[in-house]
Amino acid sequence: MITVIGLDGSPLSRRAADAMAGATLLVGGRRQLAVTGWPPGEAGPSPGGLGRSGIRPAPAGPGPNAASAGRSYPSSASPGGAGPATVTGTRTRVIVMGPLRPALDALAAHDGDAVVLASGDPGFFGLVRVLRERGLGCVVLPAISSVARAFARAGLPWDDAVVVSAHGRELRAAVNVCRAHPKVAVLTGPGQGPAEIGAALAGWPRRLLVAEDLGGPGERFTECAPADAAQREWSDPNVVLSLADPPPVRPAPVRPAPVRPAPVRPAPVRPAPAPPVPEPSATTPAPGSEDGELVITRLGSLGRHQSVDHEAGAEPGVPRGPMNHTSPGGAGPGEPSPGGAGPGGPGPGGAGPGWCWPLWTDRGDEGWALPQEAFEHRDSMVTKPEVRALALARLGPRPGALVWDVGAGSGSVAVECARFGAAVIAVDRDPAQCARVAANARRHGAEVRVVGGAAPEALDTLPDPDAVFVGGGGLAVVSAVAARRPARVVVALAAVQRAGLTLEALADAGYTVDGTLLQASRLAPLPGGAHRLAAANPVFLLWADLDHDPGPSGALCATD
């Protein structure tokens, strides 16, 4: 049997200590083995040398090295342990885990009980996934995740946070998540730590909380600006919390009322008087009141947390309402608060609390390719919904990606990309348009960095994008964008003469180019309840793809 034990600096449980005592194979990283007092090259824990949990600190002297992997080292009982358990055993083979494959091979071939040591919760961005993918069953004894411990040190809730990993992978995707979301925890690695994250967040309003050596003797918790983090040296291991500064407040979703023609009706027949409607109870909040609202992008300012009660009994077929655990002055513990399933309750049908993690937001409730009325614009200078729908499909905005909107105008494309979870930079040379982009982003609760300046010069200092929408600027902008090698480029053109030149420029830059002419006709009302088709201006939409796009998806699957 394989037992995976999480370590967080706290005493081992008796069950964990017993598993180590009976194991004939022990696998762990240098740090985890040292913490448990099993450094290869020396004898195991000596009598009386264990701490209050069956763990003793690593003795002085050189640590393990790759040459020691696979050797056997004796362990001995410790009757003098002060804690709940001590580690005992006979002879145990100890493997120092560097590359995963040799350790996994040894575990697969081992005939007997084995223990794998890991940091924090091994099932949260940890080794359990790797073991299960290899077909190895295991029993997991978790400790506190480093992410949970970091947020606890900060005194912040983290059910509304996004967690990404930069450990052993490119930092770019994790940084883009920090650019796009107001509360992110980053599991770092050597060369992918607070200094690099701080340098990459230049231009975004963020503050960083850096937790070093959590649970260890060198534990330190530091709050600083990204620029300060970039200038400092940090000790490993560490976790970085990236927080919006100041914290955003989620506005109510914008749902423009549809425009309907005035119907022709005959003279009304006066109905019988309706029965009187009783006044709402003073103890029952009205729909849409604060007690029924869940704001999930506020940092540290939530008055309570709601979650679906999975334990309380309920009648079959009756949805369980959200339970308010900590609402001062509201419903008490275990008492249902307003909401429930359906609109406003848990699930995709509403902004309901607690049914998934990260929490479901109400972004997207109103769909995508939003109508023109959803954006403030000047003289209809806004990408039309029909064009925007196809542009979004070709751009592929997603968490971990960075999208440029060049010649942003009203910023409708930028805002919609941000609503899909991408980091977004909107560029426009007109200060008034820049102000409109910012206003539209606030209106939709989207995170968009606005850069004022004329392209292509304004693009020189921006971080490399994964996808770019070009809504204006001409051939020079398209060429400058292609030179930055984004995986996808989408260009909207109104002039017929520019379509061929743009296609040729993108093809010469090594892109595979395709496109279409979009010509939509919308329903427009006529007197008497009839409708006609009103044609919108035709638009050429070209899209270009590089042959290979590795994508940032690895940022969300990694080892703690």
Side-chain angles (χ1 to χ4, degrees), residues 287-307:
S289 69
E290 184 177 358
D291 283 345
E293 174 185 292
L294 181 67
V295 180
I296 71 162
T297 55
R298 216 171 274 167
L299 301 182
S301 60
L302 293 173
R304 58 179 172 79
H305 167 64
Q306 292 180 320
S307 64

Side-chain angles (χ1 to χ4, degrees), residues 425-528:
I425 300 176
V427 181
D428 203 286
R429 63 183 179 182
D430 185 347
Q433 292 287 59
C434 289
R436 286 188 181 89
V437 176
N440 284 324
R442 287 192 300 270
R443 184 181 185 185
H444 292 276
E447 177 85 17
V448 176
R449 178 183 169 188
V450 183
V451 174
E457 293 79 13
L459 310 178
D460 292 344
T461 59
L462 301 184
D464 290 333
D466 297 287
V468 179
F469 178 76
V470 180
L475 200 58
V477 171
V478 173
S479 298
V481 164
R484 298 294 290 269
R485 314 306 291 163
R488 301 177 182 90
V489 180
V490 177
V491 185
L493 300 163
V496 177
Q497 293 82 357
R498 293 183 177 179
L501 296 174
T502 302
L503 189 153
E504 184 178 347
L506 289 169
D508 289 345
Y511 284 84
T512 301
V513 189
D514 202 348
T516 189
L517 174 67
L518 290 173
Q519 189 166 5
S521 295
R522 302 174 186 168
L523 289 176
L526 289 172

Side-chain angles (χ1 to χ4, degrees), residues 18-40:
D18 289 346
M20 289 189 64
T24 53
L25 175 63
L26 179 63
V27 178
R30 296 170 182 265
R31 181 167 174 265
Q32 288 77 29
L33 288 168
V35 166
T36 57
W38 289 73

